[in-house]
Amino acid sequence: MKRGLLPAKAALPPGLDVRSATILREIVEEYVASGEPVGSRTLARKLGQPLSSATIRTVMASLTEAGLLFSPHTSAGRLPTEKGLRLFVDGLLQFGSLSEDEQKVIGHSLEARGRSLQDTLVEASSLLAGMSDAAGLVVAPKGEGAIKHIEFVALGSNRALVILMGADGHVENRVIETPVGMPPSALVEAANYLNARAMGASLPDLRTRVSAEMKEDRTALDSLAAEVVESGLAIWNGGRGESGGTLIVRGQSRLLADVDGQERLAAIQTLFDRLEAQETMLRLLELVDTSQGVRIFIGAESGLFGATGMSVVMAPARNEANRIVGAIGVIGPTRINYGRVVPVVDYTARILGELMGSTG
């Protein structure tokens, strides 16, 4: 299908005229579709008049000199460099849109319906992988949301189970030691005391409140119940609410589909190793922290994966208070279909933010 030149009045990336912008656009879109170098004859057939193969070769040479294209083999066609991809994404990319049916599929797939938050995050990651034909990423900070309820359950042998339920549906359990001879009523008293002060607070906030009251001796707890409260809060020190979180990756096998050669395989393995690192998850959250929408990182731009030839498309999931409750995205080769991936990531992030925010 012949498309011709870009409109004369089209907004063009800096430094490009209509002909060079048109040719860069066609090369990138052909590269996204096939992964193969694009030659002047192919472009001439697609563009038709008034551009001849000779004119196209001249423009391609200029784009190569500018660092926007490169030739992988002698006398071969051209491929976009990461710089060329960035110029395309910033100024020439036409985003697609999701159909109503696709929006319904995303909304229906992520509906909680009694499912745990963890299962919902896994489903979101799998959904992104399937709709983008790449690997889906979902990042959720650990335990920074509001507390819904705290409960103590006696286990016998001077032990009790502490159950902490978050407003986001997340549940965590810990076992604590209890004072010798403690009556069951002390556990009830401790739970009532904490629940009365939680009132939607995060765990660090609750810990601060209780600590301040105990230091000022303003609690109405008896000594045994106070000991249980301190133990119940201390058991999460360095854990929930302090650091860490959840990074879920699905569809990793899709990253291996077009891999050929040991060097490329080693680069993918490095990527997998970095995805398992805690600092990667925290860095992904930092990348979207100041963003209101989708961000595209090409190649080494994210500072996460080095020169692995990968692109990351990320968006923050925000609740009704505009607070980031997570981040979602897609990671794939630099020739992922950006026009398709961006609206998928954007809509899924909004739905996930609403779901997580409605329980937070």
Side-chain angles (χ1 to χ4, degrees):
M1 177 180 177
K2 294 182 179 180
R3 297 202 299 175
L5 295 173
L6 288 165
K9 295 183 179 180
L12 301 175
L16 298 185
D17 58 21
V18 169
R19 288 193 305 184
S20 58
T22 299
I23 289 173
L24 177 62
R25 177 197 67 184
E26 294 299 325
I27 288 177
V28 172
E29 291 186 351
E30 186 67 22
Y31 166 64
V32 167
S34 69
E36 298 296 326
V38 185
S40 58
R41 290 183 180 179
T42 299
L43 290 173
R45 286 195 299 270
K46 293 188 67 175
L47 295 172
Q49 296 298 327
L51 297 181
S52 65
S53 293
T55 300
I56 291 173
R57 283 195 295 272
T58 299
V59 175
M60 289 171 68
S62 296
L63 291 172
T64 301
E65 186 176 349
L68 302 177
L69 301 178
F70 75 99
S71 177
H73 306 290
T74 303
S75 301
R78 298 293 193 273
L79 292 174
T81 62
E82 290 184 1
K83 180 181 177 181
L85 283 170
R86 170 51 62 190
L87 209 61
F88 168 80
V89 165
D90 288 345
L92 296 170
L93 176 60
Q94 293 184 329
F95 298 107
S97 58
L98 296 181
S99 66
E100 287 188 14
D101 287 342
E102 288 174 321
Q103 292 180 17
K104 289 179 181 178
V105 167
I106 293 173
H108 179 74
S109 298
L110 298 184
E111 282 180 354
R113 293 186 176 180
R115 186 169 51 190
S116 70
L117 175 62
Q118 180 77 8
D119 288 342
T120 299
L121 297 179
V122 170
E123 179 62 29
S125 183
S126 299
L127 187 69
L128 286 170
M131 296 187 74
S132 65
D133 198 28
L137 305 175
V138 176
V139 187
K142 187 174 183 181
E144 294 183 354
I147 297 170
K148 182 178 181 180
H149 186 70
I150 297 175
E151 188 173 346
F152 294 90
V153 178
L155 297 177
S157 302
N158 300 321
R159 294 190 309 157
L161 181 68
V162 187
I163 305 171
L164 189 149
M165 288 168 276
D168 59 4
H170 189 78
V171 178
E172 290 193 39
N173 302 315
R174 297 286 193 278
V175 176
I176 63 170
E177 299 293 327
T178 57
V180 177
M182 184 194 69
S185 60
L187 292 178
V188 175
E189 185 181 357
N192 289 341
Y193 171 82
L194 289 174
N195 288 320
R197 285 155 181 78
M199 294 185 296
S202 66
L203 187 62
D205 289 341
L206 179 60
R207 190 182 295 129
T208 299
R209 290 180 191 174
V210 171
S211 177
E213 281 196 12
M214 288 188 168
K215 284 181 179 178
E216 296 179 11
D217 196 25
R218 291 190 289 113
T219 70
L221 294 170
D222 66 30
S223 60
L224 292 180
E227 198 170 331
V228 171
V229 166
E230 290 181 333
S231 298
L233 292 177
I235 198 68
W236 269 282
N237 273 337
R240 193 179 197 276
E242 298 297 332
S243 62
T246 301
L247 171 60
I248 298 169
V249 184
R250 291 293 183 272
Q252 296 99 315
S253 61
R254 299 172 189 270
L255 302 180
L256 298 170
D258 297 326
V259 172
D260 54 354
Q262 289 299 314
E263 182 178 347
R264 183 76 175 134
L265 189 61
I268 296 294
Q269 185 57 56
T270 298
L271 168 66
F272 288 165
D273 291 342
R274 291 184 179 180
L275 282 173
E276 294 177 0
Q278 179 79 2
E279 56 266 28
T280 296
M281 181 197 63
L282 298 175
R283 177 64 178 146
L284 284 169
L285 286 171
E286 289 175 5
L287 289 176
V288 300
D289 186 48
T290 58
S291 175
Q292 290 297 324
V294 180
R295 297 190 65 186
I296 300 172
F297 302 93
I298 298 172
E301 289 177 348
S302 69
L304 286 173
F305 308 120
T308 57
M310 292 286 157
S311 287
V312 183
V313 181
M314 296 291 297
R318 296 180 179 273
N319 62 15
E320 294 178 354
N322 204 37
R323 175 178 173 272
I324 292 180
V325 291
I328 74 161
V330 164
I331 182 168
T334 53
R335 71 179 193 90
I336 59 175
N337 188 341
Y338 299 96
R340 164 66 173 171
V341 168
V342 167
V344 168
V345 170
D346 181 50
Y347 188 77
T348 307
R350 285 191 279 127
I351 294 299
L352 193 60
E354 291 172 6
L355 288 173
M356 296 175 71
S358 65
T359 57

